[in-house]
């Protein structure tokens, strides 16, 4: 698989998971030992825990859209820079419901197996970029 193919796979995963909620399809891209790590979560999550977290966030933010700003790759690693945009309609991520639009920047570091499955995603959220539109 080429570097461009790995980048497309990471972007496809983001679109399937966050934008479309097609979690079963996205989960098929995970390796058996898949781990998700995040600055929002105190412990690594396996594939099932990741899916549950995404479901919870999507329920709280039904208008959530993730826009991929940049995607680069080298070897078995991919880095994505994204912006999450939406409104919190139910309590989520430690924030109360609001009719204000949120915008949070995130960088994710993806590791792929030699068989081109997603082995790990480590996401860091830039809380300095956490803003609400008036």
């Amino acid at each position: 698989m080429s570097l461009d193919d790995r980048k497309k796979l990471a972007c496809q995963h983001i679109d399937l998971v966050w934008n479309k909620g097609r979690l079963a399809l996205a989960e098929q891209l995970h390796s058996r030992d898949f781990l998700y790590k995040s600055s929002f979560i105190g412990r690594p999550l396996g594939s099932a825990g990741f899916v549950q977290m995404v479901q919870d966030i999507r329920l709280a933010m039904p208008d959530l859209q993730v826009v991929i700003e940049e995607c680069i790759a080298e070897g078995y690693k991919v880095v994505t820079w994204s912006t999450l945009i939406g409104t919190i309609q139910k309590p989520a991520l430690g924030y109360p419901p609001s009719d204000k639009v949120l915008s949070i920047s995130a960088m994710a570091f993806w590791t792929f197996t030699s068989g081109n499955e997603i082995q790990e995603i480590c996401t860091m959220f830039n809380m300095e970029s956490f803003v609400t539109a008036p």
Side-chain angles (χ1 to χ4, degrees):
M1 183 176 263
S2 73
L3 294 179
D4 282 341
D5 290 337
R6 285 192 188 95
K7 288 172 25 177
K8 286 178 188 173
L9 194 56
C11 292
Q12 177 186 24
H13 188 274
I14 290 170
D15 190 49
L16 285 172
V17 169
W18 295 104
N19 294 335
K20 296 180 179 163
R22 306 284 306 270
L23 300 171
L25 285 176
E27 200 170 13
Q28 292 174 11
L29 304 174
H30 297 171
S31 68
R32 288 182 184 216
D33 59 346
F34 172 84
L35 281 180
Y36 178 76
K37 300 173 186 175
S38 166
S39 58
F40 268 126
I41 301 168
R43 61 180 169 68
L45 300 175
S47 195
F50 171 76
V51 166
Q52 185 61 56
M53 176 201 68
V54 171
Q55 285 176 327
D56 293 345
I57 292 171
R58 284 183 48 80
L59 283 173
M61 300 177 72
D63 63 343
L64 177 68
Q65 285 295 308
V66 177
V67 177
I68 300 166
E69 309 288 352
E70 186 77 41
C71 184
I72 59 174
E74 183 175 317
Y76 290 102
K77 301 279 186 178
V78 172
V79 177
T80 55
W81 166 38
S82 304
T83 303
L84 291 74
I85 303 165
T87 53
I88 298 178
Q89 296 180 10
K90 297 179 183 177
L93 310 173
Y95 297 96
S98 172
D99 60 352
K100 295 181 179 179
V101 176
L102 301 178
S103 176
I104 303 173
S105 290
M107 276 201 136
F109 298 84
W110 304 66
T111 304
F112 288 82
T113 66
S114 58
N116 296 307
E117 296 174 308
I118 301 167
Q119 185 172 37
E120 182 175 292
I121 305 171
C122 181
T123 305
M124 295 185 295
F125 293 90
N126 179 1
M127 295 315 292
E128 294 295 320
S129 72
F130 175 49
V131 294
T132 56

